[in-house]
Amino acid sequence: MTLDPGSIGLLIGLAVLLILLAVLFTFVPVMLWISALAAGVRIGIFELVGMRLRRVIPARVVNPLIKAVKAGLDLSTSKLEGHYLAGGNVDRVVNALIAAQRANIDLSFERAAAIDLAGRDVLEAVQMSVNPKVIETPFIAGVAMDGIEVKAKARITVRANIDRLVGGAGEDTVIARVGEGIVSTIGSANNHKKVLENPDMISQTVLSKGLDAGTAFEILSIDIADIDIGKNIGAELQTDQAEADKKIAQAKAEERRAMAVAKEQEMKAKVEEMRAKVVEAEAEVPMALSEALRQGHMGVMDYMNYQNVMADTDMRGSISKATDGDSNSPKRD
């Protein structure tokens, strides 16, 4: 079966028409335009085409706009498109504006967009303004003046401060400030029993310090959830100090002992030195005697008398040693 040139041209025209329609429906969001018109949002088809040319996904702008119009918000397409081009989450901002309107919270589109671009979840912030959040701290240890360690865990009820969300400190700062307040309050207590008897003293003291200044939150209450006794830090410090003093005293005593030993050895050396001098002097006595005999300064009888005296001296020394030995020996019955 052969087709005439007219039929072939008709088929080609239909194919081209189908291709053009496919490209049109792909590039131009006709269904999205129809949905917007059905919701009462006046937006032109060429405006949607312009979004495509500006590399904006039309659904990311039109669907939040429909939601905003249905909620009674006065938003323009240009604002939403500008926030999308800036890298923001248009849907989350619109949801936050709707939630703020329902909760009678004064929140403008510009502030919500700024909060979103700052990296914070603006919808969560609005929800936290309506339903405060509870932040639980870990156990924070402080030492009272009597040296007893007290551990406390606190629950901080906070509400988001919309005005300070941009540039305000986060949860970590709040926890750190509350922990510092708990430590200082416990440390200023004279006795740990006072802290145990009245834990509200901690929360009242910490809450009066205005710890939410400069943060993105408003502290509503600080409640002590749990309190416990830790170590006796004072006793441990005293024990460590006593041990250190003992070691210092031992070191000084060892130093004195070493000096005494050194002095004793020095004295022994001096004794040996003096003994050597005595021996040296005794060795010169016979030489002096012989020289005196030779020169006639001493006679033979004088020398004999000298020998007798020396012998008598030796005998007396032997007798005294024998007597001392008998007196030290044990007596027999």
Side-chain angles (χ1 to χ4, degrees):
M1 179 179 180
T2 60
L3 296 176
D4 56 349
S7 299
I8 294 175
L10 181 61
L11 292 175
I12 293 174
L14 289 174
V16 172
L17 180 61
L18 290 175
I19 293 172
L20 290 175
L21 289 175
V23 172
L24 178 63
F25 280 100
T26 301
F27 190 76
V28 180
V30 178
M31 297 303 298
L32 186 63
W33 176 67
I34 295 173
S35 298
L37 289 179
V41 178
R42 300 298 177 182
I43 186 170
I45 189 70
F46 293 104
E47 191 174 356
L48 296 177
V49 175
M51 290 183 187
R52 289 284 192 187
L53 295 176
R54 290 188 292 269
R55 295 184 179 180
V56 176
I57 301 176
R60 298 287 180 86
V61 175
V62 176
N63 288 333
L65 182 61
I66 294 173
K67 190 187 304 181
V69 171
K70 289 297 183 182
L73 298 177
D74 185 14
L75 297 178
S76 63
T77 308
S78 59
K79 288 183 178 181
L80 299 181
E81 187 177 351
H83 185 64
Y84 177 84
L85 290 174
N89 191 323
V90 179
D91 190 65
R92 185 165 55 194
V93 170
V94 171
N95 289 337
L97 291 173
I98 295 173
Q101 183 191 39
R102 297 294 187 268
N104 293 325
I105 297 175
D106 186 15
L107 179 64
S108 63
F109 175 80
E110 288 74 15
R111 179 170 294 277
I115 294 172
D116 184 62
L117 292 177
R120 295 186 181 274
D121 192 339
V122 60
L123 179 59
E124 181 183 356
V126 173
Q127 293 173 347
M128 195 184 300
S129 297
V130 179
N131 185 19
K133 180 180 180 181
V134 177
I135 304 173
E136 185 170 330
T137 66
F139 270 108
I140 300 171
V143 181
M145 289 186 180
D146 58 354
I148 304 299
E149 181 185 35
V150 179
K151 298 179 180 179
K153 180 188 290 186
R155 287 192 176 95
I156 313 164
T157 305
V158 297
R159 181 171 57 194
N161 192 325
I162 303 296
D163 295 332
R164 293 202 301 256
L165 275 177
V166 178
E171 294 183 11
D172 294 337
T173 302
V174 174
I175 294 175
R177 290 181 180 180
V178 171
E180 181 184 358
I182 292 174
V183 171
S184 63
T185 305
I186 295 175
S188 61
N190 294 326
N191 195 314
H192 71 282
K193 295 180 180 179
K194 293 183 178 179
V195 181
L196 296 177
E197 292 173 357
N198 189 16
D200 292 340
M201 177 182 64
I202 300 176
S203 58
Q204 292 173 2
T205 304
V206 174
L207 193 59
S208 63
K209 293 180 179 293
L211 303 179
D212 54 359
T215 65
F217 305 99
E218 177 185 354
I219 298 179
L220 301 178
S221 67
I222 300 176
D223 304 311
I224 303 301
D226 192 7
I227 192 166
D228 196 4
I229 296 295
K231 300 178 181 178
N232 192 339
I233 303 297
E236 291 184 359
L237 291 176
Q238 291 177 0
T239 303
D240 294 341
Q241 185 63 43
E243 186 67 23
D245 293 341
K246 185 179 103 172
K247 290 182 179 180
I248 293 173
Q250 288 177 346
K252 290 182 178 180
E254 184 65 23
E255 181 182 0
R256 290 194 297 269
R257 190 191 69 81
M259 292 177 64
V261 172
K263 188 69 174 177
E264 180 184 3
Q265 295 299 324
E266 183 181 355
M267 296 305 295
K268 287 182 179 179
K270 287 184 179 180
V271 170
E272 293 298 328
E273 182 181 358
M274 299 306 293
R275 286 178 180 175
K277 289 182 179 180
V278 169
V279 172
E280 183 180 0
E282 289 177 351
E284 293 179 356
V285 170
M287 298 174 61
L289 290 174
S290 63
E291 183 67 23
L293 290 171
R294 190 181 296 112
Q295 293 182 1
H297 296 299
M298 184 177 181
V300 176
M301 293 306 294
D302 295 330
Y303 178 72
M304 294 301 294
N305 290 332
Y306 168 75
Q307 291 293 332
N308 291 333
V309 171
M310 292 296 296
D312 185 62
T313 301
D314 292 339
M315 181 183 67
R316 290 175 182 275
S318 299
I319 293 172
S320 64
K321 289 180 180 180
T323 304
D324 292 339
D326 292 340
S327 62
N328 291 331
S329 62
K331 295 181 179 181
R332 295 181 180 178
D333 296 337

